[in-house]
Amino acid sequence: MWTCSREPVWILGVMFGPTSSPIDRNNQFSRCVLYHVLQNQTTTGPVIPTKDEFDPFVASIGEKYPRLAQKKVYGTMDGVKFYLQQARNIKIQENFYNGWKHDCYVTNFFMFTPDGMIRLMVINLPDDTHDSAAAKYGFIYKKLEGCFKKYVGKCVVDSDFSLLRKPYLLKSSRTDVTSKDAYGMMLNAKATSMRQMAEWGMC
C-alpha cells in the first residue's frame, strides 16, 4: 500500500515499528539487489513482438474488434503521469511542476500488447514533456516504424501523438472530427474502445 501512496519513508516506521534510518537503508539496498538481478535478464525488459507473437496478437484483437483486424492492430500505447516529491532546488522543481494540477509529476509512456506485457516504454521524463515528444525522445516511433516494415502492423494511440500522418499509428479520439463517413466513425469508435487496454495496464 505504501508504494502506491505519496507518504514519506518514516510512515513505514509508524506502521511497523522500526525507525526510518534502517528502513531507508534497506529500501536502497533492496533496489540495488533488484537492479543487479534484473539487468542481465533478457526476459524482463520491454521487447518488440516477434513474428510468432505478432499474428496471435492481431487475431486476439480482431476477434473482439473485426475492423481493427483489417488494419493489423497488435497493441496500444499511452502516457501516464506519476506523483513526484518536490525538489529542494527551484530550478529543478519547475521542470516537474504541473501548473494545471498544482503539483509535481514525471511523465511515463508505455506500449501494451494483448498478453499484458509492456513492449516499449520511456520513463521519468519531466512533466512538461508531451506524449508525442516522449515517444520521439525514446525512439519509440523508430521502433514502431521498424515493426511496421516487418509485419505491416499498427499501434493504436490517442490524439496526443504525432500530428504527421504515420502509417504505423492508428489514431483515435473520443470526439471524432476527422472521419468523413460511417466506416471511419466506426473504426475510430472501436480503436478508442480498444485503447482502454493501455489505461487498464497503467492502473
Side-chain angles (χ1 to χ4, degrees):
M1 182 172 62
W2 174 78
T3 57
C4 298
S5 74
R6 304 181 64 193
E7 301 295 346
V9 173
W10 63 265
I11 290 296
L12 291 175
V14 175
M15 294 168 64
F16 299 106
T19 59
S20 60
S21 295
I23 289 176
D24 189 55
R25 186 178 293 270
N26 286 333
N27 268 343
Q28 292 177 2
F29 177 71
S30 299
R31 292 191 190 106
C32 289
V33 170
L34 185 62
Y35 173 76
H36 285 291
V37 168
L38 296 180
Q39 67 176 342
N40 295 321
Q41 297 291 325
T42 57
T43 58
T44 56
V47 180
I48 282 286
T50 63
K51 180 61 177 175
D52 292 337
E53 294 173 317
F54 179 82
D55 291 334
F57 291 162
V58 172
S60 176
I61 293 172
E63 184 177 351
K64 186 170 185 180
Y65 306 104
R67 291 183 185 271
L68 298 183
Q70 299 169 5
K71 298 290 184 179
K72 290 193 174 182
V73 171
Y74 65 96
T76 181
M77 58 185 180
D78 204 355
V80 61
K81 298 181 185 300
F82 292 147
Y83 284 115
L84 180 70
Q85 185 176 356
Q86 295 183 12
R88 295 179 181 178
N89 186 312
I90 297 298
K91 293 293 184 183
I92 296 175
Q93 179 178 325
E94 67 182 11
N95 292 325
F96 298 91
Y97 185 76
N98 186 316
W100 183 264
K101 295 188 175 182
H102 310 293
D103 218 325
C104 294
Y105 297 85
V106 287
T107 294
N108 303 274
F109 174 84
F110 301 98
M111 174 193 169
F112 292 90
T113 47
D115 60 350
M117 292 184 64
I118 297 173
R119 295 295 177 160
L120 295 172
M121 69 178 184
V122 182
I123 60 173
N124 296 338
L125 291 172
D127 182 61
D128 59 359
T129 308
H130 193 270
D131 282 355
S132 186
K136 183 177 180 181
Y137 297 154
F139 303 103
I140 303 297
Y141 287 147
K142 287 187 176 180
K143 293 174 182 177
L144 290 176
E145 185 177 14
C147 190
F148 180 79
K149 289 179 179 178
K150 288 182 181 178
Y151 316 132
V152 199
K154 296 192 175 193
C155 182
V156 173
V157 297
D158 60 24
S159 56
D160 285 344
F161 289 88
S162 179
L163 292 176
L164 299 176
R165 189 178 298 276
K166 297 185 181 294
Y168 47 85
L169 298 180
L170 180 60
K171 296 178 69 172
S172 71
S173 61
R174 292 184 179 177
T175 305
D176 186 10
V177 296
T178 59
S179 298
K180 299 180 180 179
D181 54 25
Y183 174 81
M185 294 174 64
M186 185 62 70
L187 181 64
N188 178 77
K190 297 302 181 183
T192 302
S193 178
M194 181 263 172
R195 187 162 46 82
Q196 296 306 305
M197 180 171 70
E199 304 289 345
W200 297 332
M202 292 183 293
C203 290

